[in-house]
Amino acid sequence: MKIAVLPGDGIGPEIVAQAVKVLDRLQADGLKIEMEYAPIGGAGYEAAGDPLPEATLKLSQAADAVLLGAVGDWKYDSLPRDQRPERGLLRIRKALNLFANLRPALLYPELASASTLKPEVVAGLDLMIVRELTGDIYFGQPRGIATLENGEREGINTMRYNESEIRRIGRVAFDIAMKRNKKVCSIDKANVLETTELWRQVMVELAKDYPEVELSHMYVDNAAMQLVRAPRQFDVMVTENMFGDILSDCAAMLTGSIGMLPSASLDANNKGMYEPSHGSAPDIAGKDVANPLATILSVAMMFKYSFNDAATFNRIDHAVKKVIAAGYRTADIWTEGTSKVSCSGMGDAVVAAL
Ligand code: IPM
Ligand code: MG
């Protein structure tokens, strides 16, 4: 298993270091894992003047899977848009054709009190957000900031989806639902936006191939409200790129902290990039306080989705459950009566539990 390791910026390197400890441990136990590092984001800009250096892309293309930390730092905010860290992330998603982004939001029972919502609202939460990742307003042309004839500036982005893009992400969602509770809620804004009117039509057509799955539709504004009102009504939510970005942060907080939310971004052959759903948190970078569990759980997803190794997925998953049950907490999920650990302390605890 060849893994390209791209730590990125901010807390990226320290959380990835904990995930690598887990991989090292699995390797010591006999799994054949090769890891090679490359810079991305601000680190790519520093190393090669490009947030996605050619060598990083090549390495990632040649690898069986990619492990990514996070990208972005305020200090790059004044760079031209093409050189900013986020562009590196968007370009690698597009270049590897990682159109299916899976973001599971699962509440560990012991963390119910760490959520900002009432425990009875979030207890038993287990939902999967399936976010389209290579289309929509994130990539649509034309885009830019233009100057009009009267000298006024105008910002332009284009929301667009074609049928095949909608159908392939829809299939991913229905297939996942078949292995879960057989419910898909498709999120759109079909009352206003034609792109998502088409989205809804395609989902309805697709549902005919999945007679066992119950398909429902919800406008995105209502979905945001329902996520904080009664999140357990959802099993699989499928949505376009920008709505998925927003709703997945919202879902993350239900689990106690965005530091708990892993993700997998898959192409049509289940090659994937695995990264926590959270960002680079430059304000706490280098302080050894970040929560590495989202990254470690992303490694678990790597075994499940790219390496088809359910046993290793379970092993990592159980180790994380064990450390949480034992009361280890990073600052973001700490509550009275539990033991506060650092980022590296949490990594060590998971390795010990493995
Ligand atoms: C995410 C992030 C990215 C996104 C940013 C960093 C470009 O917010 O993965 O959710 O918007 O997709
Ligand atoms: Mg986001």
Side-chain angles (χ1 to χ4, degrees), residues 1 30 42 61 72 98 122 127 140 142 175 177 215 217 224 228 230 241 246 261 267 282 320 325 331 336:
M1 290 166 268
Q61 278 164 335
L98 306 173
V122 291
L127 67 88
D175 287 339
L215 172 68
H217 307 274
V228 289
N241 203 344
I246 298 167
L261 206 77
D267 74 3
V320 169
E336 208 61 50

Side-chain angles (χ1 to χ4, degrees), residues 103 131 245 249 277:
R103 297 188 163 183
R131 170 190 177 193
D245 178 46
D249 268 32
S277 295

Side-chain angles (χ1 to χ4, degrees), residues 294-321:
T295 317
I296 290 171
L297 290 166
S298 299
V299 168
M301 290 184 87
M302 181 187 290
F303 283 91
K304 179 167 179 172
Y305 291 98
S306 286
F307 300 147
N308 226 336
D309 179 352
T312 303
F313 167 84
N314 285 327
R315 190 171 167 211
I316 301 172
D317 191 51
H318 284 148
V320 169
K321 289 198 173 113

Side-chain angles (χ1 to χ4, degrees), residues 10 18 286 311:
Q18 309 318 311

